[in-house]
């Protein structure tokens, strides 16, 4: 039995190490696809059309290039914000809030799952209070919505998942940036796909196609890559829109399958604010206002507001 557990731990360690190496490759792949798309759109096709086409073609090329560069800047800004931002770690010696009148832990800090879940193998319940979770790996208490990541080797606040594409966990402090990365990736890849569609169709029609063999190959490959990314990212984007609207995460969506009410569901408008902040001017950029950072506990990853009627619903 001990030998089997040791072998399993070794396999998990090798898998986690492989994911770290794969993540570095993924950053290079993202930059390579962005670079190829830039070459195809700006240098090979719409750049020349801007200066050497007619008035109508020049206006179309200008509009396409303006939108392309704007989306590319937002995509890369969001991407590297996810990569470099700490998703949220449990502060050293963190302890759940003690209710001095009742003599027990704050129920808001203790309202976690007792059923099976993605993080259950890494944590145990505090014997003195069954609602408080304790991470055996990190040897510390776990705040609400916190899970242990085997790849990062630490507990992550409001962990959604570990993403190899960003070589980082997606958690409380960088989830908004990840969502915007998906959003702008879908818009950018869709724009490139639609913009290159006439060039792609011309490969299968009669007539001479302008360009060198290198630019033609780049156009063909760029169209296929961007179409593939647009379709695949669309599925992830739809899934995360539904998660944000319900104020839940990928892990929590799995864990609460049998839970009729979700105590963090504040209504879709408040749920959006829990991720994007209350200042709508910042919703579409990977940043928060100073006021939101100061006044919203959810953006710190340790406390989360719950439905005021949740306790009433539980008693019904």
């Amino acid at each position: 039995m001990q030998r089997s557990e040791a072998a399993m731990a070794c396999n998990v360690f090798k898998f986690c190490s492989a994911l770290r190496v794969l993540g570095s490759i993924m950053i290079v792949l993202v930059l390579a696809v962005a670079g190829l798309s830039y070459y195809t759109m700006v240098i090979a096709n719409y750049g020349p059309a801007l200066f050497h086409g007619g008035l109508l073609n020049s206006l179309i090329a200008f509009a396409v290039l303006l939108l392309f560069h704007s989306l590319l800047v937002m995509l890369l800004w969001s991407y590297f914000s996810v990569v470099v931002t700490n998703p949220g770690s449990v502060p050293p010696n963190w302890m759940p809030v003690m209710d001095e009148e009742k003599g027990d832990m704050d129920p808001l800090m203790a309202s976690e799952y007792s059923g099976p879940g993605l993080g259950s193998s890494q944590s145990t319940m505090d014997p003195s209070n069954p609602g408080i979770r304790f991470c055996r790996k990190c040897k510390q208490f776990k705040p609400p919505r916190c899970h242990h990541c085997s790849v990062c080797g630490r507990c992550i606040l409001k962990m959604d998942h570990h993403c190899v594409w960003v070589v980082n966990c997606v958690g409380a402090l960088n989830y908004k940036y990840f969502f915007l990365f998906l959003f702008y990736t879908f818009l950018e890849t869709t724009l490139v796909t639609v913009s290159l569609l006439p060039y792609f169709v011309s490969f299968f029609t009669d007539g001479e196609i302008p360009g060198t063999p290198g630019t033609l190959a780049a156009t063909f490959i760029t169209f296929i890559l961007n179409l593939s990314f647009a379709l695949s990212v669309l599925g992830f984007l739809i899934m995360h829109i539904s998660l944000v609207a319900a104020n839940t995460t990928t892990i929590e969506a799995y864990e609460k399958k049998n839970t009729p009410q979700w105590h963090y569901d504040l209504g879709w408008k408040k749920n959006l604010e829990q991720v994007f902040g209350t200042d709508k001017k910042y919703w579409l950029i990977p940043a928060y206002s100073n006021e939101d950072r100061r006044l919203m506990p959810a953006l710190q990853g340790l406390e989360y507001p719950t439905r005021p009627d949740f306790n009433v619903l539980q008693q019904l």
Side-chain angles (χ1 to χ4, degrees):
M1 182 68 178
Q2 292 179 348
R3 183 177 301 175
S4 175
E5 291 179 354
M8 182 178 299
C10 181
N11 291 334
V12 171
F13 176 78
K14 291 180 179 179
F15 176 72
C16 295
S17 300
L19 283 180
R20 296 189 190 100
V21 176
L22 180 61
S24 301
I25 297 174
M26 289 302 185
I27 292 181
V28 176
L29 179 59
V30 169
L31 294 178
V33 173
L36 179 61
S37 299
Y38 190 90
Y39 169 80
T40 303
M41 290 288 291
V42 179
I43 299 176
N45 292 301
Y46 282 90
L50 179 63
F51 297 103
H52 305 294
L55 178 60
L56 180 60
N57 289 335
S58 295
L59 291 176
I60 294 175
F62 177 79
V64 169
L65 291 176
L66 179 62
L67 187 57
F68 173 82
H69 281 89
S70 300
L71 292 176
L72 182 62
V73 168
M74 297 306 300
L75 187 159
L76 294 177
W77 184 9
S78 300
Y79 179 70
F80 284 106
S81 294
V82 185
V83 172
V84 303
T85 300
N86 185 342
S89 302
V90 182
N93 302 319
W94 179 87
M95 291 286 291
V97 177
M98 178 71 72
D99 190 327
E100 296 181 356
E101 294 183 359
K102 296 182 179 180
D104 56 8
M105 298 297 183
D106 185 346
L108 294 184
M109 310 300 282
S111 57
E112 285 292 337
Y113 311 100
S114 58
L118 295 180
S120 59
S121 63
Q122 306 293 349
S123 63
T124 56
M125 306 302 260
D126 182 6
S128 63
N129 191 325
I132 303 300
R133 299 183 305 156
F134 185 84
C135 179
R136 295 178 298 167
K137 297 288 185 178
C138 300
K139 295 181 173 53
Q140 63 182 8
F141 288 103
K142 298 171 71 173
R145 314 185 76 176
C146 176
H147 293 81
H148 186 89
C149 175
S150 299
V151 181
C152 294
R154 59 192 173 113
C155 287
I156 303 298
L157 301 177
K158 195 186 174 185
M159 179 179 173
D160 187 89
H161 69 290
H162 186 93
C163 181
V164 295
W165 286 94
V166 301
V167 205
N168 200 359
C169 259
V170 177
L173 306 187
N174 65 353
Y175 180 79
K176 174 187 175 181
Y177 310 154
F178 175 77
F179 184 93
L180 291 178
F181 167 59
L182 291 180
F183 177 67
Y184 288 118
T185 297
F186 172 70
L187 293 182
E188 178 79 338
T189 53
T190 300
L191 173 66
V192 174
T193 301
V194 173
S195 300
L196 295 182
L197 182 60
Y199 298 92
F200 182 78
V201 172
S202 65
F203 283 106
F204 305 97
T205 58
D206 297 331
E208 184 178 354
I209 304 175
T212 65
T215 59
L216 295 179
T219 300
F220 187 88
I221 295 173
T222 302
F223 177 85
I224 296 298
L225 285 176
N226 279 270
L227 176 61
S228 301
F229 276 111
L231 294 176
S232 59
V233 169
L234 176 61
F236 285 108
L237 184 59
I238 292 174
M239 181 187 76
H240 281 280
I241 289 174
S242 66
L243 293 177
V244 171
N247 196 8
T248 187
T249 66
T250 301
I251 293 178
E252 292 169 345
Y254 171 84
E255 291 181 325
K256 69 183 183 71
K257 286 188 297 185
N258 299 322
T259 303
Q261 289 94 20
W262 179 233
H263 50 288
Y264 294 116
D265 187 357
L266 309 175
W268 69 270
K269 290 184 179 179
K270 290 291 185 181
N271 292 342
L272 290 178
E273 292 178 352
Q274 292 297 298
V275 174
F276 297 101
T278 59
D279 193 337
K280 294 181 174 57
K281 297 191 299 294
Y282 286 81
W283 276 22
L284 295 180
I285 63 174
Y288 291 101
S289 67
N290 291 331
E291 184 177 3
D292 279 345
R293 288 188 180 277
R294 186 176 67 256
L295 299 179
M296 293 188 63
L299 300 184
Q300 306 303 320
L302 295 173
E303 301 178 35
Y304 300 92
T306 58
R307 294 173 56 177
D309 61 340
F310 181 72
N311 293 330
V312 177
L313 290 175
Q314 281 188 314
Q315 296 172 2
L316 294 179

